[in-house]
Amino acid sequence: LDLSKQQAAPVEEVDVFVPSAKELKEAKELFRQFDTDGDGTLTMSEIQASLYFNNVDYEEIQAIFGPNGIRATGPNGSVSVEEFAAFLCRRRRENANRQQSSHVSKYSKVARVYVSSCVHQHHAERRVLHESVSTDQNYLFVGLIGDFPGECVLPSEVSMSEFETLKASAKIFEASSDEKGLPQALDNLYVLDKNSVLPTYVLREGSEQDMAMVIKAFAEHEGEAQQLHSSFSKVRAKIAKSLNEQEVTKCLSLGSELDQAKRSYLFMRGIDDLPFEKQKSVLPGKTEEEVLQVLDRQNIFKENIYDRLNGNNVYKYTVPYSSADLKIHEAGPYAQKAAMEVLNAEYLKERFAEEALAILAAPLAELLGRPPAPSLQMELDAHANLMKRNAALIFRAETDAVYKDVLDYIHGSPLRATNVEKLAMADAKTRKRAKDELEKMAMPNSPLVLVGTPGSGKTALLAHLAEKFSYSKEAGHSALVYRSIGSTPLSSDGRLLLDGLCEELAKLYGSARTGPRPPSYNNLLVEFGELLRMLGNKKTVVIFLDGLERLPSTDHALRLSWLPAVLPDNVYVVGTSVSAEEPPALQRYPKVNIREIQPLAAADYQPLVNFWLENYRQGLQEYQKEDLIQSVTAMAGSAGLRSHLRMSFDEFTNNVFSFAAPDKLTDISATPGVMVYECLGLIVASKGGLTEHELRQLLNIEEECKRTDALPYLRFHRGLQRLSSYLATRERDSRTVLTLKHDSYRGIIEGMEAFSGRMLVWKKQLADFFAAQPTKFVSEQGGVTINLRKLRYLVYYQLEAQMWGDVGCVLCSIDNIQAMCEAGMSVELQRMFTAALRTIPHDFAPADGPGLQTVQDFYRFFLRTVQALSQHSRMIEQPGIVVQMGANEPLATEPERQAHEILAADGDTRVWMHALNKAVSVSPLYATLLGSQATMRTSHISFDGALIATGSDGGAVQIWDAETGESVAALEGHTAAVNDVRFLTASRLLVSCSSDHTAKVWNEPNASCIATYKGHKAPVLAVAEQVVERG
């Protein structure tokens, strides 16, 4: 290892949020208008007035005045106009950066359908939309507007000034009317939440009588507004608008950059010849004049929306009145309106359903017909989002010794340079001290690995380091690569991970990749090393790899043979793992480059909680903070980790008011059938998460709600709200999936007895669910879409659920193999075969259906197909090619029989190539070892037949997969030809001898030399093993 490798001096960071001169000038001109006394400063009240005037959201105003907000540094609590303008410009940039990091990729076809309606009036229409439109594949806003305004609802929260205005107005109402108790009703409904950054009153559960009294007073007394406090009209507008009006107006005001108006579809329904008596029954307790006022208000609202959209995307429907089709429920004692439904079957099914779907078909077709997204860009976007999200969890990174070690490793340590100079000095003591100091420092030309137990914070630390480097001055002339292994499908397999890394490195280098696609593992090993070397000659390369141990145990990439112990110049690799022994290949790297992250000390709990509260602009009372820390101890005992603290923090800050207790994981009823329990369990048992559509089907919510006539999506989303402390949305397989907010939560939840006992049940449920889905979806227009989620996860769930027979049926199917190859998933299919062969018990032999031997036969067929087509780029992804290869297999083999059944079913519609020299028996050839750079002299097969070791003239010992012929490791150390190699019986130890007069013993799993035997005066030609039987 080269101790004298020179590194660049530490660099300064670039503040990417500094506003431009133009932004500052515009902001100063805007806020100078509110400087009433012209002294160049703004008081806090003037700032608040300016923000309200510019329609800044209430939540943003809270943040501006919060712990991370503006600070009054001038006289009498004032701020200079220039200082406030600069603060707001900077905050705007930070918010834009934060929002960008949370958005899905611009290439994504994933979106959402938002439905707003007067719920009571459109119960039937909402059910039609729910059954007809898949809510995890579209991005539309659908508004249903009826004959009457929807329910007026009290705002969930009001500021302290707004509440005081309501109280003052309530006293005036009370004095001028016979109805008493309005101020008391407000006090009963609203409670001060001291956890808000600004004092806020929040709505809590109260009596219907109090709610009806407040709504009636403030939403319906329009003529008396002039007698009240001057600011009453603004507060009253919050209450007077129906929820339907609020949602529609807000959706159309999301901003031109979202182009929301073009994606909004409003359906306005009217009932012809509805008797006035029926209209009065919908609005109980109102006079005729008041009923007419309500109808006029709704008509005005409809016309305003129609004018705003210029008639585009607005569809008006009329339904003939029929007393049999109109269902009006009895109003409650304090209800504003009686629930009304239109149950006209002709309108619902033949008009509304068909026409609504026909209208929505165009944008859906446009969305789903977009060109395929570049897979590399999707992968980079996903990992960039993960990096930003995880980086926000870090705390006091600058004081962490490991954090400083990593910065010194990347940027260069002045102390290292000093000690390297001292090695050249004459004084022996100085040289020894310098050598001792250098031995404690991470070697700059070898990977640096941070190890720590799950939940110790290594993921957050690595993400913070990557984000910090991306903002540094050096980032402009460096190449930064970040991967969170296992977080995306393309990082969950070693070959796909390497392929993606090579693709990104080639793009950074400015070159195009050549060679067949998909590349072989052998070619990837060579290509990755070559790209590192070439890019390192051009610029500094920094690669962050989170979760080296997350690769599957059957994956040869877990040996880390692709990550050399000695890196090329100007290349730095920082990784994480759970321990220094996992994966075993970490032992190849210098011990000084394995740095352990210590668990969080109990004394740091409180400071970390305070840091998160400030960082996320949230508040907790002191007693709540104490309860939070006690819950960590109760959950994990004295061995609490950051993950336990973070989970408790998420529970205590999930819309928990200062006067309320949080909903905890331990409070969930662990009873089979309880929706919240089943929902969380299915997500934990899933691989990568589940879409909302999949969850609703798994939970069978539609059937459950039919008995109670409830709306399924309302019940479902209320359940998700209960789980929001633990869940997050991510993009996967061109879908938005619900998954755990942090990966470390999985271990915590699985460790609970209530969940661990049902994990096998949930995995079997998931296996059965995906097995029942079609492999391909065929549209009415004849378009075919491959079901990627079924192909990617079905075998995984079946293996986890120990459904060996079902695994065989899937893998031993030409149709399944063809579909996966067409979808570009041949690499993943190979991993599935490998996992199945290593997981299914050797004695498994079902009476009917494929057994282990049949799985082995199909695997051999698949490998023959891959190898035959390997020189033709993406040939294996061509439709029908696998069927053709199967039809040309020897007679009476299972692949040949299935392929001919498919051909016979297709009749004459399929063209295929028939081999005239078709083999009469399956070739005994298992694999061809390709990729050695020198002549092979010797070989030996391991005791279990899984590996082959070869020795070559170049001095290298290579380890090969006996099934696939892939090179999985290169053992370097001999300086001359390797004459013999031999695996020791019943172990992974390997002995080699060479013409360099030495013999070596290797630990094959971690590719390290554990002993070298010297003393021969001539080349060592052979090795032998003596087995000693001990009595």
Side-chain angles (χ1 to χ4, degrees):
L1 300 178
D2 184 6
L3 294 175
S4 62
K5 182 176 178 180
Q6 297 298 313
Q7 297 181 347
V11 297
E12 298 178 3
E13 293 182 62
V14 176
D15 190 345
V16 297
F17 301 122
V18 173
S20 65
K22 182 181 179 182
E23 287 178 300
L24 278 175
K25 181 180 178 182
E26 292 175 352
K28 289 176 187 177
E29 292 175 355
L30 175 64
F31 292 106
R32 194 169 281 119
Q33 304 172 44
F34 297 90
D35 180 14
T36 55
D37 51 12
D39 62 351
T41 63
L42 297 171
T43 64
M44 289 298 156
S45 60
E46 290 172 338
I47 289 175
Q48 190 168 6
S50 69
L51 296 174
Y52 274 117
F53 179 81
N54 287 284
N55 297 319
V56 178
D57 288 342
Y58 177 65
E59 292 79 6
E60 180 66 8
I61 295 176
Q62 280 188 312
I64 290 171
F65 288 97
N68 290 332
I70 192 69
R71 293 287 184 273
T73 56
N76 301 321
S78 61
V79 180
S80 70
V81 173
E82 290 78 7
E83 184 180 356
F84 182 62
F87 168 82
L88 274 193
C89 289
R90 180 186 178 89
R91 182 167 184 80
R92 187 183 306 145
R93 285 199 170 199
E94 290 176 338
N95 286 342
N97 181 70
R98 190 177 301 113
Q99 291 170 2
Q100 183 179 5
S101 70
S102 63
H103 285 171
V104 297
S105 167
K106 64 181 178 181
Y107 300 103
S108 173
K109 298 180 182 180
V110 177
R112 187 74 63 185
V113 171
Y114 296 94
V115 180
S116 173
S117 72
C118 313
V119 177
H120 292 316
Q121 298 184 54
H122 295 91
H123 194 289
E125 285 95 332
R126 290 192 75 147
R127 186 178 291 280
V128 168
L129 278 178
H130 170 69
E131 293 172 351
S132 305
V133 182
S134 179
T135 58
D136 60 341
Q137 295 182 359
N138 316 292
Y139 188 15
L140 307 168
F141 174 86
V142 179
L144 305 175
I145 304 173
D147 310 83
F148 305 96
E151 297 284 348
C152 291
V153 294
L154 294 177
S156 58
E157 59 181 33
V158 292
S159 67
M160 178 177 283
S161 60
E162 289 175 328
F163 183 75
E164 290 173 351
T165 298
L166 288 174
K167 283 290 291 288
S169 304
K171 292 177 181 178
I172 296 176
F173 275 137
E174 189 176 47
S176 61
S177 66
D178 296 333
E179 194 167 6
K180 304 299 180 184
L182 187 56
Q184 184 60 44
L186 280 171
D187 287 331
N188 294 342
L189 292 172
Y190 284 97
V191 182
L192 179 64
D193 177 23
K194 297 178 182 178
N195 285 349
S196 299
V197 177
L198 289 179
T200 303
Y201 281 82
V202 297
L203 182 67
R204 65 177 179 183
E205 290 187 11
S207 69
E208 292 183 355
Q209 186 173 7
D210 287 338
M211 288 188 178
M213 183 184 296
V214 172
I215 290 174
K216 182 177 181 180
F218 294 123
E220 300 179 9
H221 288 73
E222 299 186 38
E224 302 175 18
Q226 292 79 6
Q227 307 171 17
L228 305 176
H229 194 277
S230 58
S231 61
F232 172 70
S233 58
K234 184 174 182 179
V235 184
R236 179 187 171 280
K238 279 190 172 185
I239 305 174
K241 278 187 178 180
S242 72
L243 184 60
N244 190 211
E245 291 177 87
Q246 293 177 34
E247 289 176 345
V248 172
T249 304
K250 183 177 181 180
C251 179
L252 298 183
S253 303
L254 288 181
S256 58
E257 69 280 2
L258 294 181
D259 204 17
Q260 191 63 30
K262 292 182 179 179
R263 297 179 179 178
S264 299
Y265 295 81
L266 302 182
F267 298 88
M268 297 182 180
R269 187 198 67 199
I271 303 177
D272 284 346
D273 303 323
L274 179 63
F276 192 73
E277 290 302 318
K278 290 290 184 181
Q279 298 178 32
K280 287 183 64 177
S281 64
V282 176
L283 303 168
K286 293 188 179 295
T287 65
E288 291 187 8
E289 183 178 356
E290 290 172 336
V291 170
L292 291 173
Q293 288 177 354
V294 171
L295 295 175
D296 287 342
R297 174 182 155 193
Q298 182 70 352
N299 288 330
I300 292 172
F301 167 62
K302 285 183 175 182
E303 293 305 318
N304 286 340
I305 294 297
Y306 189 88
D307 293 341
R308 185 169 181 173
L309 289 176
N310 297 319
N312 296 325
N313 300 351
V314 179
Y315 304 92
K316 295 183 178 182
Y317 293 87
T318 56
V319 185
Y321 166 71
S322 169
S323 58
D325 296 335
L326 190 66
K327 184 177 181 181
I328 301 178
H329 302 277
E330 289 291 331
Y334 306 107
Q336 299 168 253
K337 300 176 180 66
M340 179 187 72
E341 292 182 69
V342 174
L343 302 178
N344 186 299
E346 180 183 357
Y347 158 70
L348 288 174
K349 296 182 179 179
E350 298 180 12
R351 291 193 55 196
F352 176 77
E354 290 185 6
E355 293 187 33
L357 289 178
I359 290 164
L360 299 180
L364 297 185
E366 184 274 330
L367 179 71
L368 299 176
R370 291 176 184 172
S375 57
L376 175 63
Q377 190 59 51
M378 292 284 289
E379 183 76 354
L380 297 183
D381 288 347
H383 289 286
N385 288 339
L386 285 169
M387 179 183 73
K388 292 180 181 296
R389 180 175 64 85
N390 292 328
L393 303 177
I394 199 62
F395 169 60
R396 288 182 178 174
E398 291 73 9
T399 63
D400 194 314
V402 175
Y403 176 84
K404 184 178 182 300
D405 289 342
V406 178
L407 291 183
D408 288 344
Y409 167 77
I410 297 173
H411 297 307
S413 169
L415 183 59
R416 167 175 286 279
T418 301
N419 283 319
V420 170
E421 292 175 1
K422 289 180 180 180
L423 286 177
M425 294 183 178
D427 183 30
K429 289 185 177 180
T430 302
R431 293 200 307 271
K432 185 178 184 308
R433 282 196 298 268
K435 183 179 180 182
D436 291 343
E437 288 296 323
L438 285 171
E439 287 177 351
K440 298 177 184 177
M441 298 180 186
M443 305 297 297
N445 52 1
S446 185
L448 179 67
V449 183
L450 313 181
V451 299
T453 54
S456 59
K458 56 188 181 296
T459 293
L461 180 60
L462 192 77
H464 178 74
L465 284 161
E467 187 177 50
K468 182 182 179 71
F469 184 81
S470 68
Y471 291 152
S472 68
K473 287 182 179 178
E474 193 178 69
H477 53 271
S478 301
L480 170 65
V481 177
Y482 177 86
R483 288 292 188 278
S484 178
I485 297 174
S487 299
T488 63
L490 295 185
S491 66
S492 300
D493 175 89
R495 189 166 153 194
L496 295 175
L497 172 66
L498 268 180
D499 192 29
L501 289 172
C502 289
E503 192 76 27
E504 184 175 3
L505 292 175
K507 181 180 179 182
L508 291 169
Y509 185 72
S511 66
R513 299 177 69 193
T514 59
R517 313 290 298 156
S520 68
Y521 188 74
N522 299 355
N523 292 340
L524 284 172
L525 290 176
V526 175
E527 184 182 10
F528 182 68
E530 187 64 18
L531 282 169
L532 285 182
R533 184 189 62 78
M534 292 192 303
L535 193 56
N537 291 335
K538 190 175 181 180
K539 57 176 66 177
T540 301
V541 182
V542 184
I543 302 177
F544 295 93
L545 300 171
D546 181 36
L548 292 171
E549 82 289 349
R550 295 182 200 151
L551 291 168
S553 60
T554 56
D555 198 325
H556 292 308
L558 195 60
R559 300 168 183 270
L560 303 184
S561 56
W562 51 278
L563 197 57
V566 180
L567 297 168
D569 290 342
N570 299 320
V571 175
Y572 306 92
V573 176
V574 185
T576 65
S577 187
V578 290
S579 73
E581 291 77 32
E582 187 63 36
L586 291 181
Q587 297 172 36
R588 296 168 48 223
Y589 307 132
K591 289 185 179 180
V592 71
N593 279 43
I594 308 295
R595 297 301 173 95
E596 184 175 1
I597 296 178
Q598 298 299 324
L600 188 67
D604 289 331
Y605 286 0
Q606 187 79 36
L608 182 52
V609 168
N610 291 334
F611 168 78
W612 282 336
L613 288 171
E614 182 174 355
N615 193 43
Y616 295 111
R617 301 188 299 277
Q618 293 173 310
L620 287 177
Q621 302 304 298
E622 289 303 319
Y623 83 91
Q624 290 176 321
K625 294 179 186 178
E626 293 175 3
D627 290 346
L628 189 159
I629 293 173
Q630 289 176 4
S631 70
V632 176
T633 305
M635 187 190 308
S638 59
L641 298 168
R642 286 176 188 260
S643 55
H644 295 99
L645 185 65
R646 182 67 199 193
M647 178 179 279
S648 294
F649 176 84
D650 287 339
E651 289 175 338
F652 274 76
T653 54
N654 181 27
N655 298 320
V656 177
F657 304 124
S658 58
F659 51 84
D663 291 323
K664 299 180 183 179
L665 184 63
T666 52
D667 296 334
I668 295 177
S669 175
T671 304
V674 174
M675 190 189 76
V676 174
Y677 172 63
E678 296 286 346
C679 183
L680 183 59
L682 286 166
I683 291 174
V684 173
S686 70
K687 184 176 177 63
L690 297 166
T691 69
E692 290 185 11
H693 186 65
E694 289 167 349
L695 272 173
R696 285 198 302 270
Q697 289 182 304
L698 283 161
L699 297 171
N700 200 21
I701 290 183
E702 282 74 7
E703 292 300 321
E704 292 292 326
C705 290
K706 282 181 180 178
R707 292 195 294 268
T708 59
D709 204 32
L711 292 172
Y713 40 85
L714 290 182
R715 184 185 173 199
F716 177 68
H717 283 282
R718 284 169 186 160
L720 291 185
Q721 182 64 32
R722 168 65 180 84
L723 298 174
S724 58
S725 300
Y726 320 107
L727 302 183
T729 57
R730 293 184 190 170
E731 190 174 348
R732 203 173 179 100
D733 305 311
S734 298
R735 297 286 184 271
T736 296
V737 299
L738 283 166
T739 185
L740 293 177
K741 190 177 290 186
H742 303 290
D743 292 336
S744 54
Y745 287 3
R746 188 179 307 278
I748 297 175
I749 298 173
E750 287 181 340
M752 300 176 64
E753 185 178 353
F755 287 89
S756 61
R758 278 185 60 81
M759 205 54 62
L760 194 64
V761 174
W762 285 317
K763 289 185 176 180
K764 186 179 185 307
Q765 185 180 354
L766 287 165
D768 292 339
F769 171 76
F770 280 102
Q773 294 184 6
T775 302
K776 297 180 180 180
F777 299 110
V778 181
S779 67
E780 294 180 358
Q781 294 75 27
V784 177
T785 304
I786 296 177
N787 188 349
L788 293 178
R789 291 186 62 77
K790 173 180 179 175
L791 297 179
R792 181 163 282 142
Y793 303 117
L794 175 57
V795 172
Y796 167 81
Y797 292 129
Q798 289 174 336
L799 287 173
E800 290 288 304
Q802 301 176 13
M803 302 165 65
W804 315 130
D806 297 273
V807 172
C809 290
V810 173
L811 293 179
C812 300
S813 164
I814 290 283
D815 275 331
N816 180 73
I817 296 174
Q818 176 68 70
M820 293 198 70
C821 291
E822 283 184 32
M825 298 170 66
S826 58
V827 174
E828 291 165 278
L829 178 58
Q830 183 173 329
R831 187 184 69 216
M832 291 176 190
F833 269 115
T834 305
L837 292 172
R838 298 189 183 184
T839 306
I840 298 175
H842 292 291
D843 57 352
F844 175 71
D848 55 345
L852 189 61
Q853 183 57 52
T854 308
V855 175
Q856 177 74 40
D857 293 342
F858 267 85
Y859 185 34
R860 300 304 314 161
F861 158 69
F862 171 69
L863 290 178
R864 287 194 297 274
T865 299
V866 170
Q867 291 167 1
L869 304 174
S870 61
Q871 298 305 310
H872 306 279
S873 188
R874 301 200 181 282
M875 175 64 75
I876 198 169
E877 298 175 13
Q878 297 303 310
I881 192 69
V882 174
V883 176
Q884 175 174 298
M885 297 297 288
N888 286 310
E889 282 285 288
L891 289 173
T893 59
E894 187 61 20
E896 190 263 354
R897 185 190 65 78
Q898 287 191 23
H900 277 283
E901 285 182 357
I902 295 172
L903 293 171
D906 288 347
D908 296 329
T909 61
R910 186 190 296 263
V911 178
W912 63 287
M913 304 290 288
H914 180 75
L916 297 178
N917 56 343
K918 183 170 163 179
V920 296
S921 62
V922 176
S923 170
L925 177 66
Y926 251 58
T928 302
L929 310 184
L930 297 173
S932 177
Q933 304 301 311
T935 302
M936 295 183 187
R937 281 177 170 265
T938 182
S939 65
H940 192 249
I941 301 177
S942 63
F943 72 97
D944 59 359
L947 300 173
I948 300 173
T950 63
S952 69
D953 281 350
V957 176
Q958 281 189 277
I959 308 298
W960 309 80
D961 186 314
E963 291 280 355
T964 64
E966 294 176 341
S967 174
V968 300
L971 311 180
E972 297 179 351
H974 286 298
T975 57
V978 177
N979 298 315
D980 197 11
V981 292
R982 182 170 293 275
F983 281 102
L984 299 186
T985 304
S987 75
R988 287 300 188 194
L989 295 181
L990 177 72
V991 183
S992 64
C993 63
S994 168
S995 294
D996 63 5
H997 304 181
T998 67
K1000 292 180 179 290
V1001 180
W1002 307 84
N1003 186 336
E1004 178 271 318
N1006 57 32
S1008 62
C1009 179
I1010 61 176
T1012 300
Y1013 296 94
K1014 301 178 180 179
H1016 287 280
K1017 304 300 183 182
V1020 184
L1021 300 179
V1023 295
E1025 177 185 9
Q1026 181 181 7
V1027 180
V1028 179
E1029 295 184 4
R1030 301 185 182 276

